[in-house]
Amino acid sequence: MATLEIRDLHVSVETKEGAKPILRGVDLTINSGETHAVMGPNGSGKSTLASALMGHPKYEVTAGTVTLDGEDVLAMSVDERAQAGLFLAMQYPVEVPGVSVANFLRTAKTAICGEAPPLRAWGKEVKTAMGNLRIDGSFAERSVNEGFSGGEKKRHEILQLELFKPRFAILDETDSGLDIDALRVVADGVNRALENTDVGVLLITHYTRILRYIRPDFVHVFVDGRIAEEGGPELADRLEVEGYDRYLATAPTTT
């Protein structure tokens, strides 16, 4: 069993007015095979957590620790974090003109594993994963995310999840912009990864609709850069009814 442990994490972002604190002491532990949903209103720090965990240079960790099986994640470069088993499905996947999906996937798999996957077996694995996600075979020859619809971009992120088999997957608003059919396909992909590997999942979302398909073991409510409440799946059900107003009414005022 692997463990991703976040302790008293503080993160700031540089603005025109100077450094602005976003995360204000986050404690969170994720074990292999667990699904943790992080929910909260806009601006609460959910996506900042995802970016900080993966080493985005825009975000400065000012205090706290992040360890993966005792290893200091914050001391790792971005590629080292990926090789250690961290994966981020981005909220806004970037376009990479001139690089085909097929070349990107095999190059990334090689970088993560340290050696190229056997070509025939890899081709079969990619084809199967694409079929499961209802992705047409011609998709492999398109440039990464260039001209992709929102649903195609999110399916491509989950395709990577299924093929790269990370130890921990951070899914940053994977449900954003998806219609109901695409949401089910994406959720099915995440559930396959959970069933077929020991991946631990940190699922960041505003809404409960994706949690109808991906049932979390734990739910954490983010408000003002902190975890305001934690619970099981029943907490998400309560948020569906009550919303976030009661947390916002008691949140401290920040500048």
Side-chain angles (χ1 to χ4, degrees):
M1 178 181 289
T3 301
L4 180 65
E5 191 169 24
I6 303 163
R7 285 290 170 266
D8 194 30
L9 188 65
H10 293 248
V11 175
S12 294
V13 62
E14 194 64 33
T15 69
K16 293 180 180 179
E17 291 76 30
K20 178 182 179 181
I22 305 294
L23 300 186
R24 303 168 184 273
V26 175
D27 292 294
L28 183 61
T29 299
I30 307 171
N31 294 309
S32 297
E34 295 179 348
T35 300
H36 292 248
V38 171
M39 306 183 68
N42 285 326
S44 58
K46 303 183 304 298
S47 291
T48 294
L49 175 63
S51 296
L53 290 175
M54 289 306 299
H56 194 300
K58 177 181 175 182
Y59 299 92
E60 180 185 2
V61 175
T62 56
T65 61
V66 179
T67 57
L68 201 169
D69 286 347
E71 296 292 321
D72 184 1
V73 171
L74 300 180
M76 300 177 186
S77 62
V78 174
D79 59 321
E80 288 172 338
R81 297 182 198 206
Q83 290 165 350
L86 294 185
F87 170 82
L88 172 64
M90 293 184 284
Q91 182 178 358
Y92 303 109
V94 297
E95 296 184 1
V96 189
V99 177
S100 72
V101 167
N103 285 338
F104 165 75
L105 291 173
R106 192 159 193 266
T107 300
K109 182 71 171 182
T110 300
I112 291 168
C113 296
E115 60 181 6
L119 195 55
R120 182 172 295 181
W122 175 249
K124 183 178 180 180
E125 188 176 356
V126 172
K127 184 177 180 180
T128 299
M130 289 176 65
N132 288 336
L133 288 163
R134 302 182 193 176
I135 297 173
D136 187 87
S138 61
F139 184 90
E141 301 310 314
R142 296 170 64 183
S143 291
V144 174
N145 291 323
E146 188 174 32
F148 287 16
S149 68
E152 287 176 326
K153 289 180 179 180
K154 296 305 174 73
R155 291 185 197 201
H156 182 220
E157 296 289 291
I158 302 307
L159 177 63
Q160 295 170 53
L161 168 64
E162 293 204 58
L163 293 172
F164 298 163
K165 297 178 174 59
R167 297 164 77 188
F168 293 95
I170 305 159
L171 310 181
D172 189 8
E173 299 196 29
T174 299
D175 53 337
S176 175
L178 298 182
D179 61 32
I180 191 63
D181 292 324
L183 177 64
R184 286 174 176 165
V185 170
V186 163
D188 285 347
V190 175
N191 285 328
R192 274 192 304 273
L194 287 164
E195 291 167 4
N196 297 328
T197 70
D198 290 327
V199 64
V201 172
L202 180 64
L203 176 61
I204 296 169
T205 183
H206 286 297
Y207 309 109
T208 59
R209 64 175 192 155
I210 194 170
L211 303 184
R212 299 169 191 164
Y213 305 102
I214 304 171
R215 197 65 172 165
D217 300 298
F218 306 95
V219 175
H220 312 270
V221 182
F222 252 51
V223 178
D224 194 38
R226 300 180 179 90
I227 295 176
E229 187 173 0
E230 298 176 301
E234 70 283 350
L235 178 54
D237 296 335
R238 199 175 81 206
L239 289 172
E240 177 74 14
V241 176
E242 299 177 358
Y244 300 114
D245 283 350
R246 67 190 186 90
Y247 299 104
L248 298 175
T250 59
T253 303
T254 60
T255 56

